[in-house]
Amino acid sequence: CTALPILPETVKACVRLGFDPLRFALTAGEDYELLFSARPGLPGRVSGTAVSAIGRVLTGNGVKYRLDGRVRQMDLRGFDHLA
């Protein structure tokens, strides 16, 4: 998950407040970046906006991520606006 763009200021604030920056970025409920899928080979900028490749879409179920060399099942849940 090191490919996930998290602003250095956000990481510093999370550390200061005792939050895990990755968990915060994945579950805080704030839309901070647009997530989309595209064909491989997309450039690093589209129409002047930075693009970060953070993963791949594969056949199967669920969302998995790699951290510290291990593949893990995503079990984090964000805020449910309809609950």
Side-chain angles (χ1 to χ4, degrees):
C1 276
T2 57
L4 191 66
I6 303 174
L7 291 173
E9 295 83 359
T10 300
V11 173
K12 288 178 190 173
C14 285
V15 169
R16 189 172 55 248
L17 296 170
F19 299 138
D20 173 45
L22 179 60
R23 179 177 283 274
F24 181 81
L26 294 173
T27 65
E30 297 299 323
D31 298 328
Y32 78 106
E33 294 227 359
L34 177 64
L35 178 64
F36 65 94
S37 60
R39 69 191 185 304
L42 195 65
R45 293 192 84 74
V46 175
S47 297
T49 301
V51 175
S52 302
I54 63 167
R56 301 179 294 159
V57 177
L58 304 171
T59 301
N61 294 319
V63 175
K64 297 177 182 161
Y65 64 99
R66 183 179 308 275
L67 184 64
D68 299 328
R70 292 181 42 216
V71 175
R72 303 166 190 225
Q73 182 71 35
M74 180 70 73
D75 61 351
L76 304 174
R77 300 282 184 247
F79 183 77
D80 184 351
H81 295 275
L82 303 176

